[in-house]
Amino acid sequence: MSDDLSARRAAYIATIRGLHRKERLLGFAACLVGVLLLIWGRQVPGTPGWAAPTGLLVIGAGWLLFAYVIVRRTRYVRTHPFDPQS
């Protein structure tokens, strides 16, 4: 009985972690690209003036995607709570 409950709980957690995976990875990639743009714009002489501000905007967009995923997961958990009987 305990193993069955543990398996169902693990499956529930895996389902939650899998929600909006594409958006989360896109947010991570956006943050990485933004950091690279920011470093390039600040450290390399002769770079265009738009590089550093664009890097900050891209980092902000990546964090907004992370926040979106957190909100969507929270909504999912509130509408689909873990039920040990199912």
Side-chain angles (χ1 to χ4, degrees), residues 16-56:
I16 293 171
R17 286 182 181 166
L19 290 174
H20 305 290
R21 182 179 306 258
K22 200 178 345 177
E23 289 89 350
R24 193 178 70 234
L25 290 176
L26 185 62
F28 178 73
C31 287
L32 182 62
V33 168
V35 166
L36 292 175
L37 269 172
L38 188 62
I39 291 171
W40 179 59
R42 300 273 174 127
Q43 299 296 324
V44 177
T47 56
W50 56 263
T54 304
L56 289 173

Side-chain angles (χ1 to χ4, degrees), residues 46-80:
T47 56
W50 56 263
T54 304
L56 289 173
L57 288 174
V58 172
I59 292 170
W63 276 102
L64 283 175
L65 276 172
F66 286 144
Y68 168 77
V69 169
I70 290 170
V71 168
R72 295 295 298 187
R73 282 182 177 183
T74 303
R75 286 183 181 174
Y76 178 84
V77 169
R78 286 183 181 164
T79 57
H80 301 93

